[in-house]
Structure formats: structure tokens, C-alpha cells
Amino acid sequence: MNGNKVIIGMSGGVDSAVAAWLLKRDGYDVTGLFMHNWEEDGECPAASDWRDVQAVCEKLGIECYSVNFAKEYADGVFEYFLREYRAYRTPNPDVLCNRVVKFGAFRDYCNRLGADFIATGHYCKRDGDRLIKAADGNKDQTYFLNQVKTEQLCNVLFPLGDMLKPNVRAIAEELNLSVARKKDSTGICFIGERKFKKFLSGFLPAQSGDITDTAGNVVGRHDGLMYYTIGQRRGLGIGGVKGEAGRWFVLDKDVKNNRLIVSCGDESALFSRELTGSELNIIGAFDMPKELRCTAKTRYRQPDQAATLFVGEDGKFRLAFDEPQRAITAGQYAVIYVGERCLGGGVIEDRA
């Protein structure tokens, strides 16, 4: 096989480990590359992950290296994360990490090393310049790749695209890999197991204020508007209302008056049929009409929702759903699908 040099991004988890084995099995010349994306004093989870990568690569008989992209991550992802929270929005840094680091800095680095292909352990497929859903609907990760540019995918391999997660773990068990039973990582990578409020308060000062119901009655105190998201129920620190069914949930943020607006019981005010967005990114060649029937999702693992996409200028768009959607949140991503194809997505600006 000519032109078979593959560098695969390895995280220390079971998915990238099995992806590396699949590539080697198929005859590729495989090298593992671990990305160190966050600098921190003391014992960092990345140190343990790197040891796992080394153990897996030794078992598979492939070389592995570590590269530091902490500056690229800090400048391109973490600053965005803080900027969005300063604006009292709810960002998704993992989406931007894919575009800036995993398919940006990492891809460029691998190309300079002479790689013919790069690979990752994402659950998704590529068909030419099109991004396609994975065979495992429970693990499909196209949502997190909605901001990746077309050219960033041109020489990318996704070995797990046709795999089911239980089969991936079974392969790791058969190979006696040390990560076979390692838990999947969850949450934002640079926060890890720490309390979100404590972490964020170290970078952004928070101003406490009143929690009010829709009539303006004060029902509690919040620790800072940045800590809450639309539709949130837990962690509000207020009890139920006597004689009224249901639990409190976040309905809105009154930034001007530093008030968190909550409601109890009826959730109808949380539902919206439309949203507006910006920074629409289209992956692959596509003849975009002014109105496109599609499906879309506004959060990961949400079932696809039937909708119509209206595309404006300068990346602006409007998405009208057939059915009302709960807790559409500014700062998150609306991801667009046409059948099994992930067409791309954009940042949610507002709901209507």
C-alpha cells in the first residue's frame, strides 16, 4: 500500500485505542499522537491519559508521541469559552475544540510530519467531502463536528464509523488493552471532575442577585447569572410552591437588572418553534436553496427534529421547527441534517 502513513489522535480512551488497532489491521503505517491541550499545576488527568496512550501503543506495537497544543487551545477555545460566559450565554467549547485543535493545529502538525492521512476515534463517517452519521446512533458525534471546515476533512479517516460501541469494547477486551473498561470522558475537558462554579469563579468574577418569578416576586438568590442555563432545574436553591405542581426551572435571564427569572409547574413558556443563528458552517459542496427542508438538533443526543432552514447573508439563518422545542439556548449550536448527512451548523443567537 502506497501513501499509507496515518497519524491518529489518541486520547487515552478505548475508542482511539481500538481505532488505532483497526488501522494497523488494515495495513496502514500507524503512529499515535497524544494532544496535551491544558496546562495546570499538580497532577493533571492528561498525565494519566498519556500513560494510557503509551501502554496501548506498546501493546499494539506502534510508535507514539505527545505534542503540546495548550497555547492554541487557550487562545482559540478557552478565550471563547470565557467570552461567551461573560455575555451570559452557554457555550459548547468541545465543538470549537474540534475545529481549532483536533482538525486545525493537530491536522497541520501531522501534515508537516508527512502524514498521508490523519485519523481520530470519533463516531462518524466521511463520504468524499460529506460528513455522515455513524452506524451507532447512540454514539454518533457529528453534532460536535458541525463547525469543522470542508478542507479540514479531506484526508481524515474515521475507523469507528461503522462500529457499535459494545463491539469496540469487546475488541479492546480481546486485545487485552489496559483501557478496555476505562470510562468514557464526560463534561468539559479542562474542568474534569471539579465543581463548575468553583472553576469558573477563578476566571470570571460573579455578581449575586435576586431570583424572581414571572410576576417579579423574589423567591431566592442566585450566585451569578453565568452559572445558570435555560431550562435548568437542579441547583437553584429554592423549594416548590405550596399548592402549585411541579419544580422550579430557569425561564430567562434579566441581564440588565441581574435577575434570574424562574417559573414553576407549566413549562409551556420554555418551548419555541423558531430560532435565529449566526456563523452557519456548511460542510461539503451543497446547492443551498433559500428554504431547505431538513432535520436539526439543538443539543447533543436530542432526536432529530423536522424543520425548515432559511439561510440569510453573512452566515445568518433562521430555523423553523415543525414542533415546539424545549429550552433553546443562546450560545449552543443548531446542527443541520439532510438524511444521514450532517450538513453543518451554526451558533444559536435567540429563540422565538
Side-chain angles (χ1 to χ4, degrees):
M1 183 185 298
N2 294 322
N4 70 335
K5 183 176 181 180
V6 180
I7 299 179
I8 179 169
M10 300 189 69
S11 64
V14 66
D15 293 330
S16 58
V18 172
W21 176 80
L22 290 169
L23 290 167
K24 183 178 179 182
R25 180 201 65 179
D26 291 344
Y28 289 98
D29 176 11
V30 183
T31 299
L33 189 63
F34 176 77
M35 288 170 274
H36 190 95
N37 296 334
W38 185 253
E39 296 285 10
E40 191 167 22
D41 295 332
E43 178 70 9
C44 177
S48 175
D49 291 336
W50 169 231
R51 289 192 292 269
D52 287 336
V53 169
Q54 291 174 301
V56 165
C57 289
E58 182 178 3
K59 183 76 173 180
L60 297 180
I62 64 176
E63 292 184 323
C64 65
Y65 302 93
S66 174
V67 61
N68 192 311
F69 292 134
K71 184 180 187 304
E72 289 85 349
Y73 192 94
D75 294 344
V77 181
F78 190 60
E79 281 302 317
Y80 147 84
F81 172 83
L82 295 179
R83 185 169 62 250
E84 287 289 279
Y85 271 107
R86 287 190 192 100
Y88 303 105
R89 290 162 39 122
T90 305
N92 191 323
D94 290 339
V95 171
L96 199 60
C97 178
N98 280 317
R99 189 180 77 193
V100 173
V101 179
K102 294 179 182 177
F103 295 90
F106 168 74
R107 171 189 163 81
D108 293 342
Y109 185 82
C110 293
N111 287 340
R112 290 196 299 271
L113 292 179
D116 298 300
F117 301 97
I118 70 167
T120 73
H122 284 97
Y123 285 84
C124 60
K125 304 180 196 179
R126 182 177 67 85
D127 180 11
D129 65 359
R130 302 189 308 162
L131 183 64
I132 308 296
K133 288 181 180 180
D136 191 333
N138 290 322
K139 292 296 295 182
D140 174 64
Q141 292 175 300
T142 53
Y143 175 92
F144 294 108
L145 300 183
N146 79 84
Q147 288 294 294
V148 173
K149 301 300 183 181
T150 304
E151 60 272 17
Q152 292 178 309
L153 294 175
C154 69
N155 66 335
V156 178
L157 302 176
F158 296 115
L160 303 185
D162 289 314
M163 300 287 293
L164 301 180
K165 181 66 179 224
N167 294 340
V168 169
R169 286 207 180 273
I171 290 172
E173 292 275 11
E174 292 172 6
L175 296 173
N176 197 27
L177 298 182
S178 59
V179 297
R181 299 185 181 182
K182 186 176 180 178
K183 291 183 178 180
D184 293 339
S185 59
T186 58
I188 301 171
C189 60
F190 51 79
I191 295 178
E193 300 298 325
R194 291 170 294 192
K195 295 294 185 181
F196 175 75
K197 285 186 179 181
K198 183 177 181 180
F199 175 84
L200 193 58
S201 66
F203 296 90
L204 298 177
Q207 182 181 357
S208 62
D210 289 333
I211 302 177
T212 68
D213 62 18
T214 53
N217 301 308
V218 177
V219 296
R221 294 282 292 177
H222 68 76
D223 298 325
L225 293 180
M226 69 184 74
Y227 298 133
Y228 305 87
T229 189
I230 305 302
Q232 178 179 332
R233 290 182 175 278
R234 296 182 179 180
L236 302 183
I238 51 179
V241 176
K242 186 176 181 180
E244 188 175 1
R247 295 167 55 192
W248 290 108
F249 58 87
V250 175
L251 181 61
D252 205 353
K253 298 178 184 181
D254 179 359
V255 175
K256 181 179 179 180
N257 297 300
N258 193 31
R259 296 188 307 165
L260 187 69
I261 302 173
V262 298
S263 187
C264 189
D266 181 17
E267 290 193 353
S268 59
L270 276 179
F271 285 79
S272 310
R273 280 189 176 271
E274 295 190 8
L275 64 82
T276 57
S278 63
E279 301 178 37
L280 181 63
N281 176 58
I282 301 299
I283 301 171
F286 189 78
D287 187 12
M288 179 68 73
K290 291 184 178 180
E291 297 182 18
L292 174 69
R293 284 296 293 170
C294 61
T295 59
K297 57 179 66 180
T298 59
R299 60 185 180 274
Y300 182 51
R301 294 194 183 280
Q302 178 188 25
D304 289 6
Q305 303 295 306
T308 302
L309 174 68
F310 301 87
V311 179
E313 297 180 352
D314 299 324
K316 304 291 186 182
F317 67 96
R318 179 168 63 91
L319 200 55
F321 292 95
D322 291 8
E323 300 294 334
Q325 303 298 306
R326 183 184 186 276
I328 293 174
T329 304
Q332 292 286 292
Y333 289 89
V335 184
I336 314 299
Y337 295 87
V338 176
E340 294 298 295
R341 177 180 181 178
C342 176
L343 195 59
V347 181
I348 298 170
E349 297 293 341
D350 204 355
R351 53 179 173 150

